[in-house]
Amino acid sequence: MNIYFTIIVGSVFVNNFVLSQFLGICPFLGVSKKTNTALGMGFAVIFVMSLASVFTYVVNEFVLIKLHLEYMQTIAFILIIAALVQSVEIVIKKFSPSLYSALGVYLPLITTNCAVLGVAILNIQKAYNLLQSFLNGLFAGVGFTLAIVLLAGIRERIHPKNVPESFRGFPITLIAAALLSMGFSAFSGMFGIS
């Protein structure tokens, strides 16, 4: 099977960071109340994951490995991700103040989103080249966006319904997320990708 197809399908469906690997749960649950807010967060994560994958690859290959500083990967990657998130935050604040206020504290939390750091580390562990790293980051972000928008759509449809009192709010959200996760687990059998 083509490695690029495997990376794309694997990143979006099979190894979805939120629904299969359970990374990035905080913004997934926190920003998924409305579809438009979830979509805005998703696009921000796509942007950060894509660029973080490229920058971390370049820094790792041409700085850390050359200087034998591989033990500094995590710190270097977090600094790169923080700089990217800060840039995204400035752009969103300038061009979409309503989205900026809707995302609230969750936008800066992308910095500590373990899914973003996870994709950077996974790229190194799987020895992806620059293009493979970029594709993995891009489509891992697409997978995150798909998951958060699907959950937001479910939450919007559940909200006005007559849900038993003990399940209202966060409990029904967790049930919906669990069912969504179970649905995504079926993709690993369909594509045979691990």
Side-chain angles (χ1 to χ4, degrees), residues 3-16:
I3 183 71
Y4 297 107
F5 176 77
T6 303
I7 290 171
I8 292 168
V9 171
S11 298
V12 175
F13 298 109
V14 179
N15 298 316
N16 186 292

Side-chain angles (χ1 to χ4, degrees), residues 78-92:
I78 288 172
L79 290 173
I80 291 167
I81 292 165
L84 289 170
V85 170
Q86 197 63 35
S87 302
V88 168
E89 190 172 1
I90 290 168
V91 169
I92 290 176

